[in-house]
Amino acid sequence: MPFTPGRVPFQFYDLHPDTENFRDDVLSGLAQPRKALAPKYFYDARGSELFEAICDSPEYYPTRTELAMMQADSRDMARLLGPDCLLIEYGAGSGRKTRVLIEALAPAAYVAIDISRTALQQCAAELAAAYPKVKVAAVCADYSRPLDLPVIESISPRRRVIYFPGSTIGNFTRPDALVFLHQAHALAGRGGAMLAGVDLKKDPARLQAAYNDARGVTAAFNLNLLARINRELDGDFDLDGFVHRAIWNADQSRMEMHLESLRDQQVTVAGQTFHFRAGETLHTENSYKFKLQSFAALAEAAGWTLERTWSSEQPAFAVVLLRA
Ligand code: AVJ
């Protein structure tokens, strides 16, 4: 199973994160008075491609900013983290930042965890080929739920280091972020650490542009969720009946993405019918923007100690080293 001819083998563990969960979550999300879906469902094969295109858009600053920070500071990070660790990444995606970290850190092994099977397999195959000295494993799983790591044979890492770039922590509401950070703390274990990307609060106009790029890639990413429901759950969403909205919620310090219904309409999904009023929205994502102190307080409430912060100004972004 892990071996594909012509490719460098990596261990692959499929914890089957979607299908039934997706159906149940969509049906309950559409039945709520304020319709909402979790952003983890964006990432089917098409959604992962569109997300990569967002990262390349001129308006979406986080990827570029964090990659530049990794290039500038990864040696510093590696010195504090130490060699021969087990590096565990949540939401590996394309692995662009991971390469920079692996080169500086020289981990004993690398475990990529991602909900998107296609993106994960591609990333793991590429990294296994690029770094033959690093043992590579891939786990297809929903990491917002508790998860047991597979046993990686013939390595004895000195510690576990979790890598959680992209400010994906911002997709969790505060209570969910606490639960997640607790789970990550347990996974890191004694002497473990976490390196996380944290997008910081900034000018709302800049944020709005980042989540509503001029070429419409983010709009396509958001609308792909409806296309995915149509494909996988026998839905009949009319994609021309909804528009992408990106809203800065100042009270909650978060960007929100919604899909707004342009008219009164009925939609059927998996045999159930739902009604949308004109102007009613389906809330598809929160992306919290932090103040460093509020992020530190959140991490500390989950048992972590903030050891080091690297930050950039304009656009403000931070990479933090947390110790378990
Ligand atoms: C990958 C979750 C960090 O919230 O900024 C990009 C996803 N959504 N554009 C983010 C996303 C809209 C992104 N994260």
Side-chain angles (χ1 to χ4, degrees), residues 277-297:
R277 288 171 273 110
E280 183 178 359
T281 76
L282 171 60
H283 185 174
T284 52
E285 183 181 65
N286 291 318
S287 205
Y288 283 81
K289 304 302 165 187
F290 297 89
K291 285 198 167 153
L292 215 36
Q293 302 91 305
S294 65
F295 180 81

Side-chain angles (χ1 to χ4, degrees), residues 255-323:
M255 279 303 301
E256 295 180 3
M257 297 211 307
H258 294 255
L259 289 162
E260 182 182 323
S261 176
L262 290 171
R263 50 186 156 77
D264 248 55
Q265 54 185 319
Q266 305 244 87
V267 175
T268 303
V269 177
Q272 292 190 31
T273 300
F274 303 91
H275 181 253
F276 280 86
R277 288 171 273 110
E280 183 178 359
T281 76
L282 171 60
H283 185 174
T284 52
E285 183 181 65
N286 291 318
S287 205
Y288 283 81
K289 304 302 165 187
F290 297 89
K291 285 198 167 153
L292 215 36
Q293 302 91 305
S294 65
F295 180 81
L298 189 68
E300 275 158 20
W304 294 94
T305 308
L306 178 61
E307 185 173 309
R308 253 306 284 272
T309 303
W310 295 267
S311 44
S312 91
E313 307 173 22
Q314 306 279 18
F317 195 94
V319 176
V320 298
L321 195 171
L322 304 171
R323 200 63 77 167

Side-chain angles (χ1 to χ4, degrees), residues 43 51 54 60 166-168 171 210-211 218 221 257 285 287 289:
Y43 303 94
F51 176 66
I54 289 174
Y60 193 72
S167 196
T168 304
N171 277 178
Y211 288 83
T218 310
F221 174 71
M257 297 211 307
E285 183 181 65
S287 205
K289 304 302 165 187

